[in-house]
PDB file of all heavy atoms in Angstrom:
ATOM      1  N   TRP Z   1     -25.777  28.143  90.827  1.00 96.00           N
ATOM      2  CA  TRP Z   1     -25.686  27.332  89.622  1.00 96.00           C
ATOM      3  C   TRP Z   1     -26.896  26.414  89.475  1.00 96.00           C
ATOM      4  O   TRP Z   1     -27.474  26.311  88.389  1.00 96.00           O
ATOM      5  CB  TRP Z   1     -24.393  26.508  89.654  1.00 96.00           C
ATOM      6  CG  TRP Z   1     -24.145  25.715  88.420  1.00 96.00           C
ATOM      7  CD1 TRP Z   1     -23.496  26.143  87.305  1.00 96.00           C
ATOM      8  CD2 TRP Z   1     -24.508  24.357  88.171  1.00 96.00           C
ATOM      9  NE1 TRP Z   1     -23.451  25.142  86.365  1.00 96.00           N
ATOM     10  CE2 TRP Z   1     -24.063  24.020  86.880  1.00 96.00           C
ATOM     11  CE3 TRP Z   1     -25.178  23.389  88.908  1.00 96.00           C
ATOM     12  CZ2 TRP Z   1     -24.252  22.767  86.315  1.00 96.00           C
ATOM     13  CZ3 TRP Z   1     -25.372  22.135  88.352  1.00 96.00           C
ATOM     14  CH2 TRP Z   1     -24.910  21.845  87.064  1.00 96.00           C
ATOM     15  N   LEU Z   2     -27.314  25.759  90.553  1.00 96.00           N
ATOM     16  CA  LEU Z   2     -28.448  24.832  90.477  1.00 96.00           C
ATOM     17  C   LEU Z   2     -29.742  25.546  90.114  1.00 96.00           C
ATOM     18  O   LEU Z   2     -30.524  25.054  89.299  1.00 96.00           O
ATOM     19  CB  LEU Z   2     -28.621  24.077  91.798  1.00 96.00           C
ATOM     20  CG  LEU Z   2     -27.627  22.960  92.051  1.00 96.00           C
ATOM     21  CD1 LEU Z   2     -27.794  22.406  93.463  1.00 96.00           C
ATOM     22  CD2 LEU Z   2     -27.785  21.850  91.027  1.00 96.00           C
ATOM     23  N   MET Z   3     -29.979  26.716  90.701  1.00 94.00           N
ATOM     24  CA  MET Z   3     -31.200  27.469  90.398  1.00 94.00           C
ATOM     25  C   MET Z   3     -31.212  27.916  88.942  1.00 94.00           C
ATOM     26  O   MET Z   3     -32.246  27.849  88.280  1.00 94.00           O
ATOM     27  CB  MET Z   3     -31.321  28.678  91.324  1.00 94.00           C
ATOM     28  CG  MET Z   3     -31.528  28.309  92.784  1.00 94.00           C
ATOM     29  SD  MET Z   3     -33.035  27.355  93.084  1.00 94.00           S
ATOM     30  CE  MET Z   3     -34.270  28.547  92.672  1.00 94.00           C
ATOM     31  N   ALA Z   4     -30.075  28.341  88.437  1.00 91.00           N
ATOM     32  CA  ALA Z   4     -29.989  28.763  87.032  1.00 91.00           C
ATOM     33  C   ALA Z   4     -30.235  27.578  86.107  1.00 91.00           C
ATOM     34  O   ALA Z   4     -30.935  27.700  85.103  1.00 91.00           O
ATOM     35  CB  ALA Z   4     -28.633  29.392  86.751  1.00 91.00           C
ATOM     36  N   ARG Z   5     -29.674  26.434  86.441  1.00 92.00           N
ATOM     37  CA  ARG Z   5     -29.889  25.242  85.615  1.00 92.00           C
ATOM     38  C   ARG Z   5     -31.374  24.870  85.576  1.00 92.00           C
ATOM     39  O   ARG Z   5     -31.909  24.548  84.510  1.00 92.00           O
ATOM     40  CB  ARG Z   5     -29.067  24.067  86.134  1.00 92.00           C
ATOM     41  CG  ARG Z   5     -29.180  22.849  85.221  1.00 92.00           C
ATOM     42  CD  ARG Z   5     -28.361  21.720  85.703  1.00 92.00           C
ATOM     43  NE  ARG Z   5     -28.969  21.185  86.920  1.00 92.00           N
ATOM     44  CZ  ARG Z   5     -28.636  20.031  87.463  1.00 92.00           C
ATOM     45  NH1 ARG Z   5     -27.677  19.306  86.938  1.00 92.00           N
ATOM     46  NH2 ARG Z   5     -29.228  19.616  88.552  1.00 92.00           N
ATOM     47  N   GLU Z   6     -32.054  24.963  86.698  1.00 92.00           N
ATOM     48  CA  GLU Z   6     -33.487  24.658  86.731  1.00 92.00           C
ATOM     49  C   GLU Z   6     -34.275  25.654  85.881  1.00 92.00           C
ATOM     50  O   GLU Z   6     -35.201  25.272  85.169  1.00 92.00           O
ATOM     51  CB  GLU Z   6     -34.003  24.640  88.169  1.00 92.00           C
ATOM     52  CG  GLU Z   6     -33.475  23.476  88.983  1.00 92.00           C
ATOM     53  CD  GLU Z   6     -33.687  22.133  88.309  1.00 92.00           C
ATOM     54  OE1 GLU Z   6     -34.823  21.836  87.893  1.00 92.00           O
ATOM     55  OE2 GLU Z   6     -32.709  21.363  88.193  1.00 92.00           O
ATOM     56  N   HIS Z   7     -33.895  26.924  85.941  1.00 86.00           N
ATOM     57  CA  HIS Z   7     -34.549  27.944  85.114  1.00 86.00           C
ATOM     58  C   HIS Z   7     -34.368  27.620  83.631  1.00 86.00           C
ATOM     59  O   HIS Z   7     -35.313  27.689  82.847  1.00 86.00           O
ATOM     60  CB  HIS Z   7     -33.981  29.326  85.439  1.00 86.00           C
ATOM     61  CG  HIS Z   7     -34.446  30.394  84.515  1.00 86.00           C
ATOM     62  ND1 HIS Z   7     -35.714  30.946  84.588  1.00 86.00           N
ATOM     63  CD2 HIS Z   7     -33.839  30.998  83.471  1.00 86.00           C
ATOM     64  CE1 HIS Z   7     -35.850  31.845  83.632  1.00 86.00           C
ATOM     65  NE2 HIS Z   7     -34.724  31.904  82.944  1.00 86.00           N
ATOM     66  N   TYR Z   8     -33.138  27.268  83.231  1.00 83.00           N
ATOM     67  CA  TYR Z   8     -32.876  26.930  81.829  1.00 83.00           C
ATOM     68  C   TYR Z   8     -33.649  25.693  81.389  1.00 83.00           C
ATOM     69  O   TYR Z   8     -34.142  25.627  80.272  1.00 83.00           O
ATOM     70  CB  TYR Z   8     -31.383  26.706  81.593  1.00 83.00           C
ATOM     71  CG  TYR Z   8     -30.598  27.985  81.455  1.00 83.00           C
ATOM     72  CD1 TYR Z   8     -29.428  28.171  82.165  1.00 83.00           C
ATOM     73  CD2 TYR Z   8     -31.022  29.006  80.612  1.00 83.00           C
ATOM     74  CE1 TYR Z   8     -28.694  29.343  82.044  1.00 83.00           C
ATOM     75  CE2 TYR Z   8     -30.305  30.175  80.486  1.00 83.00           C
ATOM     76  CZ  TYR Z   8     -29.148  30.345  81.202  1.00 83.00           C
ATOM     77  OH  TYR Z   8     -28.440  31.497  81.080  1.00 83.00           O
ATOM     78  N   LYS Z   9     -33.775  24.707  82.270  1.00 88.00           N
ATOM     79  CA  LYS Z   9     -34.535  23.493  81.933  1.00 88.00           C
ATOM     80  C   LYS Z   9     -35.995  23.823  81.623  1.00 88.00           C
ATOM     81  O   LYS Z   9     -36.597  23.224  80.741  1.00 88.00           O
ATOM     82  CB  LYS Z   9     -34.475  22.483  83.087  1.00 88.00           C
ATOM     83  CG  LYS Z   9     -33.201  21.715  83.168  1.00 88.00           C
ATOM     84  CD  LYS Z   9     -33.326  20.740  84.334  1.00 88.00           C
ATOM     85  CE  LYS Z   9     -32.195  19.788  84.425  1.00 88.00           C
ATOM     86  NZ  LYS Z   9     -32.364  18.842  85.554  1.00 88.00           N
ATOM     87  N   ILE Z  10     -36.562  24.777  82.344  1.00 88.00           N
ATOM     88  CA  ILE Z  10     -37.955  25.171  82.118  1.00 88.00           C
ATOM     89  C   ILE Z  10     -38.067  26.021  80.852  1.00 88.00           C
ATOM     90  O   ILE Z  10     -38.944  25.810  80.017  1.00 88.00           O
ATOM     91  CB  ILE Z  10     -38.497  25.945  83.343  1.00 88.00           C
ATOM     92  CG1 ILE Z  10     -38.604  24.995  84.537  1.00 88.00           C
ATOM     93  CG2 ILE Z  10     -39.841  26.596  83.032  1.00 88.00           C
ATOM     94  CD1 ILE Z  10     -38.824  25.694  85.864  1.00 88.00           C
ATOM     95  N   THR Z  11     -37.167  26.985  80.698  1.00 83.00           N
ATOM     96  CA  THR Z  11     -37.221  27.909  79.563  1.00 83.00           C
ATOM     97  C   THR Z  11     -36.940  27.209  78.243  1.00 83.00           C
ATOM     98  O   THR Z  11     -37.579  27.501  77.231  1.00 83.00           O
ATOM     99  CB  THR Z  11     -36.216  29.054  79.767  1.00 83.00           C
ATOM    100  OG1 THR Z  11     -36.498  29.693  81.023  1.00 83.00           O
ATOM    101  CG2 THR Z  11     -36.298  30.072  78.654  1.00 83.00           C
ATOM    102  N   TYR Z  12     -35.983  26.293  78.241  1.00 85.00           N
ATOM    103  CA  TYR Z  12     -35.561  25.602  77.017  1.00 85.00           C
ATOM    104  C   TYR Z  12     -35.825  24.104  77.185  1.00 85.00           C
ATOM    105  O   TYR Z  12     -34.909  23.296  77.171  1.00 85.00           O
ATOM    106  CB  TYR Z  12     -34.080  25.868  76.734  1.00 85.00           C
ATOM    107  CG  TYR Z  12     -33.779  27.337  76.596  1.00 85.00           C
ATOM    108  CD1 TYR Z  12     -33.135  28.033  77.610  1.00 85.00           C
ATOM    109  CD2 TYR Z  12     -34.162  28.032  75.463  1.00 85.00           C
ATOM    110  CE1 TYR Z  12     -32.866  29.392  77.486  1.00 85.00           C
ATOM    111  CE2 TYR Z  12     -33.906  29.389  75.330  1.00 85.00           C
ATOM    112  CZ  TYR Z  12     -33.255  30.060  76.348  1.00 85.00           C
ATOM    113  OH  TYR Z  12     -33.002  31.390  76.220  1.00 85.00           O
ATOM    114  N   ASN Z  13     -37.106  23.742  77.331  1.00 84.00           N
ATOM    115  CA  ASN Z  13     -37.462  22.363  77.656  1.00 84.00           C
ATOM    116  C   ASN Z  13     -37.571  21.427  76.450  1.00 84.00           C
ATOM    117  O   ASN Z  13     -37.941  20.274  76.598  1.00 84.00           O
ATOM    118  CB  ASN Z  13     -38.755  22.329  78.471  1.00 84.00           C
ATOM    119  CG  ASN Z  13     -39.922  22.943  77.731  1.00 84.00           C
ATOM    120  OD1 ASN Z  13     -39.804  23.347  76.580  1.00 84.00           O
ATOM    121  ND2 ASN Z  13     -41.055  23.024  78.410  1.00 84.00           N
ATOM    122  N   ASN Z  14     -37.237  21.929  75.261  1.00 84.00           N
ATOM    123  CA  ASN Z  14     -37.179  21.042  74.102  1.00 84.00           C
ATOM    124  C   ASN Z  14     -36.182  21.605  73.088  1.00 84.00           C
ATOM    125  O   ASN Z  14     -35.786  22.767  73.164  1.00 84.00           O
ATOM    126  CB  ASN Z  14     -38.565  20.818  73.480  1.00 84.00           C
ATOM    127  CG  ASN Z  14     -39.174  22.090  72.926  1.00 84.00           C
ATOM    128  OD1 ASN Z  14     -38.553  22.802  72.132  1.00 84.00           O
ATOM    129  ND2 ASN Z  14     -40.402  22.378  73.337  1.00 84.00           N
ATOM    130  N   ARG Z  15     -35.776  20.794  72.143  1.00 82.00           N
ATOM    131  CA  ARG Z  15     -34.746  21.164  71.166  1.00 82.00           C
ATOM    132  C   ARG Z  15     -35.164  22.367  70.319  1.00 82.00           C
ATOM    133  O   ARG Z  15     -34.346  23.218  70.003  1.00 82.00           O
ATOM    134  CB  ARG Z  15     -34.426  19.948  70.291  1.00 82.00           C
ATOM    135  CG  ARG Z  15     -33.367  20.159  69.254  1.00 82.00           C
ATOM    136  CD  ARG Z  15     -32.170  20.854  69.760  1.00 82.00           C
ATOM    137  NE  ARG Z  15     -31.078  20.015  70.161  1.00 82.00           N
ATOM    138  CZ  ARG Z  15     -29.962  20.521  70.664  1.00 82.00           C
ATOM    139  NH1 ARG Z  15     -29.827  21.811  70.841  1.00 82.00           N
ATOM    140  NH2 ARG Z  15     -28.984  19.747  71.009  1.00 82.00           N
ATOM    141  N   ALA Z  16     -36.434  22.467  69.977  1.00 80.00           N
ATOM    142  CA  ALA Z  16     -36.899  23.586  69.149  1.00 80.00           C
ATOM    143  C   ALA Z  16     -36.702  24.919  69.869  1.00 80.00           C
ATOM    144  O   ALA Z  16     -36.279  25.906  69.265  1.00 80.00           O
ATOM    145  CB  ALA Z  16     -38.362  23.400  68.779  1.00 80.00           C
ATOM    146  N   LYS Z  17     -36.996  24.970  71.170  1.00 81.00           N
ATOM    147  CA  LYS Z  17     -36.802  26.194  71.939  1.00 81.00           C
ATOM    148  C   LYS Z  17     -35.319  26.510  72.111  1.00 81.00           C
ATOM    149  O   LYS Z  17     -34.937  27.670  72.157  1.00 81.00           O
ATOM    150  CB  LYS Z  17     -37.465  26.086  73.314  1.00 81.00           C
ATOM    151  CG  LYS Z  17     -38.973  26.157  73.267  1.00 81.00           C
ATOM    152  CD  LYS Z  17     -39.529  26.086  74.666  1.00 81.00           C
ATOM    153  CE  LYS Z  17     -41.038  26.034  74.672  1.00 81.00           C
ATOM    154  NZ  LYS Z  17     -41.569  25.878  76.032  1.00 81.00           N
ATOM    155  N   MET Z  18     -34.505  25.472  72.237  1.00 85.00           N
ATOM    156  CA  MET Z  18     -33.066  25.679  72.425  1.00 85.00           C
ATOM    157  C   MET Z  18     -32.430  26.285  71.181  1.00 85.00           C
ATOM    158  O   MET Z  18     -31.596  27.180  71.284  1.00 85.00           O
ATOM    159  CB  MET Z  18     -32.372  24.353  72.758  1.00 85.00           C
ATOM    160  CG  MET Z  18     -32.676  23.853  74.141  1.00 85.00           C
ATOM    161  SD  MET Z  18     -31.948  22.242  74.446  1.00 85.00           S
ATOM    162  CE  MET Z  18     -30.226  22.640  74.495  1.00 85.00           C
ATOM    163  N   GLY Z  19     -32.810  25.791  70.023  1.00 89.00           N
ATOM    164  CA  GLY Z  19     -32.204  26.284  68.795  1.00 89.00           C
ATOM    165  C   GLY Z  19     -30.695  26.102  68.816  1.00 89.00           C
ATOM    166  O   GLY Z  19     -30.161  25.231  69.491  1.00 89.00           O
ATOM    167  N   THR Z  20     -29.995  26.973  68.079  1.00 92.00           N
ATOM    168  CA  THR Z  20     -28.536  26.952  68.046  1.00 92.00           C
ATOM    169  C   THR Z  20     -28.042  28.309  68.530  1.00 92.00           C
ATOM    170  O   THR Z  20     -28.351  29.338  67.934  1.00 92.00           O
ATOM    171  CB  THR Z  20     -28.020  26.691  66.617  1.00 92.00           C
ATOM    172  OG1 THR Z  20     -28.562  25.437  66.171  1.00 92.00           O
ATOM    173  CG2 THR Z  20     -26.513  26.639  66.579  1.00 92.00           C
ATOM    174  N   LEU Z  21     -27.285  28.292  69.616  1.00 92.00           N
ATOM    175  CA  LEU Z  21     -26.779  29.512  70.228  1.00 92.00           C
ATOM    176  C   LEU Z  21     -25.466  29.917  69.572  1.00 92.00           C
ATOM    177  O   LEU Z  21     -24.566  29.086  69.411  1.00 92.00           O
ATOM    178  CB  LEU Z  21     -26.576  29.287  71.726  1.00 92.00           C
ATOM    179  CG  LEU Z  21     -26.021  30.443  72.541  1.00 92.00           C
ATOM    180  CD1 LEU Z  21     -26.939  31.656  72.480  1.00 92.00           C
ATOM    181  CD2 LEU Z  21     -25.825  29.982  73.980  1.00 92.00           C
ATOM    182  N   ARG Z  22     -25.372  31.197  69.202  1.00 95.00           N
ATOM    183  CA  ARG Z  22     -24.150  31.726  68.584  1.00 95.00           C
ATOM    184  C   ARG Z  22     -23.717  32.970  69.323  1.00 95.00           C
ATOM    185  O   ARG Z  22     -24.549  33.761  69.781  1.00 95.00           O
ATOM    186  CB  ARG Z  22     -24.401  32.059  67.122  1.00 95.00           C
ATOM    187  CG  ARG Z  22     -24.720  30.841  66.304  1.00 95.00           C
ATOM    188  CD  ARG Z  22     -24.529  31.098  64.831  1.00 95.00           C
ATOM    189  NE  ARG Z  22     -24.739  29.842  64.122  1.00 95.00           N
ATOM    190  CZ  ARG Z  22     -25.573  29.690  63.122  1.00 95.00           C
ATOM    191  NH1 ARG Z  22     -26.246  30.715  62.673  1.00 95.00           N
ATOM    192  NH2 ARG Z  22     -25.706  28.512  62.540  1.00 95.00           N
ATOM    193  N   PHE Z  23     -22.397  33.170  69.408  1.00 96.00           N
ATOM    194  CA  PHE Z  23     -21.813  34.350  70.037  1.00 96.00           C
ATOM    195  C   PHE Z  23     -21.002  35.115  69.004  1.00 96.00           C
ATOM    196  O   PHE Z  23     -20.420  34.524  68.101  1.00 96.00           O
ATOM    197  CB  PHE Z  23     -20.900  33.954  71.201  1.00 96.00           C
ATOM    198  CG  PHE Z  23     -21.607  33.187  72.281  1.00 96.00           C
ATOM    199  CD1 PHE Z  23     -21.406  31.825  72.417  1.00 96.00           C
ATOM    200  CD2 PHE Z  23     -22.477  33.820  73.146  1.00 96.00           C
ATOM    201  CE1 PHE Z  23     -22.046  31.104  73.415  1.00 96.00           C
ATOM    202  CE2 PHE Z  23     -23.131  33.109  74.143  1.00 96.00           C
ATOM    203  CZ  PHE Z  23     -22.908  31.754  74.276  1.00 96.00           C
ATOM    204  N   SER Z  24     -20.949  36.444  69.144  1.00 97.00           N
ATOM    205  CA  SER Z  24     -20.144  37.264  68.235  1.00 97.00           C
ATOM    206  C   SER Z  24     -19.707  38.535  68.952  1.00 97.00           C
ATOM    207  O   SER Z  24     -20.145  38.815  70.077  1.00 97.00           O
ATOM    208  CB  SER Z  24     -20.950  37.619  66.980  1.00 97.00           C
ATOM    209  OG  SER Z  24     -22.069  38.427  67.311  1.00 97.00           O
ATOM    210  N   ASP Z  25     -18.868  39.296  68.269  1.00 98.00           N
ATOM    211  CA  ASP Z  25     -18.408  40.606  68.749  1.00 98.00           C
ATOM    212  C   ASP Z  25     -17.836  40.546  70.166  1.00 98.00           C
ATOM    213  O   ASP Z  25     -18.106  41.426  70.997  1.00 98.00           O
ATOM    214  CB  ASP Z  25     -19.534  41.643  68.679  1.00 98.00           C
ATOM    215  CG  ASP Z  25     -20.104  41.790  67.277  1.00 98.00           C
ATOM    216  OD1 ASP Z  25     -19.354  41.590  66.303  1.00 98.00           O
ATOM    217  OD2 ASP Z  25     -21.301  42.092  67.149  1.00 98.00           O
ATOM    218  N   LEU Z  26     -17.045  39.516  70.441  1.00 98.00           N
ATOM    219  CA  LEU Z  26     -16.490  39.338  71.781  1.00 98.00           C
ATOM    220  C   LEU Z  26     -15.391  40.353  72.067  1.00 98.00           C
ATOM    221  O   LEU Z  26     -14.507  40.582  71.244  1.00 98.00           O
ATOM    222  CB  LEU Z  26     -15.925  37.928  71.946  1.00 98.00           C
ATOM    223  CG  LEU Z  26     -16.933  36.787  71.805  1.00 98.00           C
ATOM    224  CD1 LEU Z  26     -16.224  35.445  71.902  1.00 98.00           C
ATOM    225  CD2 LEU Z  26     -18.022  36.896  72.842  1.00 98.00           C
ATOM    226  N   GLU Z  27     -15.476  40.962  73.234  1.00 98.00           N
ATOM    227  CA  GLU Z  27     -14.437  41.854  73.741  1.00 98.00           C
ATOM    228  C   GLU Z  27     -14.038  41.333  75.113  1.00 98.00           C
ATOM    229  O   GLU Z  27     -14.871  41.268  76.015  1.00 98.00           O
ATOM    230  CB  GLU Z  27     -14.962  43.284  73.880  1.00 98.00           C
ATOM    231  CG  GLU Z  27     -15.380  43.915  72.569  1.00 98.00           C
ATOM    232  CD  GLU Z  27     -15.953  45.312  72.768  1.00 98.00           C
ATOM    233  OE1 GLU Z  27     -15.609  45.983  73.771  1.00 98.00           O
ATOM    234  OE2 GLU Z  27     -16.753  45.720  71.920  1.00 98.00           O
ATOM    235  N   ILE Z  28     -12.772  40.960  75.262  1.00 98.00           N
ATOM    236  CA  ILE Z  28     -12.276  40.389  76.510  1.00 98.00           C
ATOM    237  C   ILE Z  28     -11.334  41.381  77.165  1.00 98.00           C
ATOM    238  O   ILE Z  28     -10.381  41.845  76.536  1.00 98.00           O
ATOM    239  CB  ILE Z  28     -11.554  39.054  76.250  1.00 98.00           C
ATOM    240  CG1 ILE Z  28     -12.520  38.082  75.561  1.00 98.00           C
ATOM    241  CG2 ILE Z  28     -11.007  38.475  77.556  1.00 98.00           C
ATOM    242  CD1 ILE Z  28     -11.870  36.844  75.016  1.00 98.00           C
ATOM    243  N   GLN Z  29     -11.614  41.702  78.415  1.00 98.00           N
ATOM    244  CA  GLN Z  29     -10.769  42.624  79.160  1.00 98.00           C
ATOM    245  C   GLN Z  29     -10.282  41.923  80.428  1.00 98.00           C
ATOM    246  O   GLN Z  29     -11.065  41.662  81.345  1.00 98.00           O
ATOM    247  CB  GLN Z  29     -11.545  43.882  79.538  1.00 98.00           C
ATOM    248  CG  GLN Z  29     -10.718  44.872  80.311  1.00 98.00           C
ATOM    249  CD  GLN Z  29     -11.517  46.113  80.665  1.00 98.00           C
ATOM    250  OE1 GLN Z  29     -12.656  46.288  80.267  1.00 98.00           O
ATOM    251  NE2 GLN Z  29     -10.901  46.986  81.431  1.00 98.00           N
ATOM    252  N   PRO Z  30      -8.975  41.618  80.485  1.00 98.00           N
ATOM    253  CA  PRO Z  30      -8.443  41.030  81.714  1.00 98.00           C
ATOM    254  C   PRO Z  30      -8.562  42.023  82.876  1.00 98.00           C
ATOM    255  O   PRO Z  30      -8.334  43.221  82.709  1.00 98.00           O
ATOM    256  CB  PRO Z  30      -6.970  40.765  81.386  1.00 98.00           C
ATOM    257  CG  PRO Z  30      -6.892  40.790  79.891  1.00 98.00           C
ATOM    258  CD  PRO Z  30      -7.955  41.739  79.446  1.00 98.00           C
ATOM    259  N   LEU Z  31      -8.943  41.523  84.032  1.00 98.00           N
ATOM    260  CA  LEU Z  31      -9.017  42.345  85.238  1.00 98.00           C
ATOM    261  C   LEU Z  31      -7.846  42.057  86.166  1.00 98.00           C
ATOM    262  O   LEU Z  31      -7.455  42.909  86.951  1.00 98.00           O
ATOM    263  CB  LEU Z  31     -10.340  42.105  85.961  1.00 98.00           C
ATOM    264  CG  LEU Z  31     -11.601  42.427  85.151  1.00 98.00           C
ATOM    265  CD1 LEU Z  31     -12.843  42.004  85.922  1.00 98.00           C
ATOM    266  CD2 LEU Z  31     -11.654  43.911  84.824  1.00 98.00           C
ATOM    267  N   SER Z  32      -7.340  40.825  86.089  1.00 98.00           N
ATOM    268  CA  SER Z  32      -6.184  40.377  86.866  1.00 98.00           C
ATOM    269  C   SER Z  32      -5.725  39.073  86.232  1.00 98.00           C
ATOM    270  O   SER Z  32      -6.259  38.652  85.200  1.00 98.00           O
ATOM    271  CB  SER Z  32      -6.555  40.168  88.338  1.00 98.00           C
ATOM    272  OG  SER Z  32      -7.377  39.011  88.478  1.00 98.00           O
ATOM    273  N   ASN Z  33      -4.764  38.403  86.848  1.00 98.00           N
ATOM    274  CA  ASN Z  33      -4.329  37.095  86.340  1.00 98.00           C
ATOM    275  C   ASN Z  33      -5.416  36.035  86.502  1.00 98.00           C
ATOM    276  O   ASN Z  33      -5.367  34.998  85.845  1.00 98.00           O
ATOM    277  CB  ASN Z  33      -3.057  36.638  87.042  1.00 98.00           C
ATOM    278  CG  ASN Z  33      -1.852  37.438  86.607  1.00 98.00           C
ATOM    279  OD1 ASN Z  33      -1.822  37.987  85.516  1.00 98.00           O
ATOM    280  ND2 ASN Z  33      -0.858  37.518  87.478  1.00 98.00           N
TER     281      ASN Z  33
END
């Protein structure tokens, strides 16, 4: 988790790069409880 957070901080280091993230076409498949 920490390494991924550091990667995101570098990749998206300002609001313009971050933009607005949207998700669509979600398919959820339960594997267990």
Side-chain angles (χ1 to χ4, degrees):
W1 184 88
L2 284 173
M3 294 299 294
R5 185 179 70 167
E6 291 308 309
H7 172 76
Y8 281 132
K9 282 182 173 181
I10 292 167
T11 304
Y12 302 105
N13 60 3
N14 64 53
R15 181 46 96 182
K17 287 182 185 176
M18 288 176 69
T20 302
L21 179 61
R22 295 198 175 127
F23 300 106
S24 64
D25 303 330
L26 298 176
E27 297 177 26
I28 302 169
Q29 180 180 355
L31 300 174
S32 71
N33 288 335

